[in-house]
Amino acid sequence: MGVDAPRILIGAEELATGVARLGAEISAAYGDGVVLVAVLKGSAVFLADLVRAMTVVPHVDFLAISPYAPGTGRVQLLKDLEIDIAGRDVVLVEDIVDTGLTATYILGELARRSPRSLAACALLDRRTTRIVPTPLAFVGFSVGTEFLVGYGLDFSERYRNLDMVAVGDIPTLQNDRDAYVKALYGR
Ligand code: IMP
Ligand code: MG
């Protein structure tokens, strides 16, 4: 089957400009270097571009968590950091902060380890659907309520490798998770 390509919300050039700004902001704030804690898997694409936009030494480490399940009240840590962040300046790197539940859980987990400082950076900030207040020191773009794919964001593991952020139509994707594959990848 297949449908038309999804609407582009943030194009590749605009993304690059935003990521360059974030890299400069983080570099200016942490002259002695910084630990970037990225959340798998959605943040991987953003992180790769972010570190290349930085002019201070980034120490990169990864966390993996189970998705927040409504009703359970918490997410679970599936993969922990490899480094000890005690006494370090730490920035959590997120693809998108929506309800804020995921970022808040992780920030709480990181804070317990006594970092020297702790801040959060989100490429995309969906403020209108926030459930818990989540202070974000570094924000790329504010977005609305649309479901987004691309630049790390997936639907059922599709579309992460798009160089743009596009609006996914949920009913269309639920009907066929490959709905945009033909239009986007030519197959
Ligand atoms: P939160 O706990 O509601 O803030 O959820 C944030 C996480 O949900 C993100 O890190 C994404 O993995 C996922 N997410 C939220 N909105 C979207 C979206 O529009 N597209 C794809 N994934 C999303
Ligand atoms: Mg995420």
Side-chain angles (χ1 to χ4, degrees), residues 41-60:
K41 300 180 251 182
S43 303
V45 174
F46 171 41
L47 177 78
D49 284 340
L50 181 66
V51 292
R52 284 177 288 180
M54 286 172 55
T55 53
V56 297
V57 175
H59 193 137
V60 171

Side-chain angles (χ1 to χ4, degrees), residues 39-43 65 67-68 75 94-104 124 126 129-132 134 143-150 152-155 160 166 168 170:
V39 185
L40 295 170
K41 300 180 251 182
S43 303
I65 49 159
Y68 171 81
V75 298
E94 269 282 28
D95 48 1
I96 181 167
V97 173
D98 181 17
T99 62
L101 290 165
T102 307
T104 298
L124 307 174
R126 185 182 279 139
T129 49
R130 202 75 98 239
I131 291 175
V132 276
T134 311
V143 297
T145 54
E146 307 103 319
F147 180 77
L148 304 173
V149 294
L153 298 173
D154 74 308
F155 180 88
R160 285 195 200 278
I170 290 280

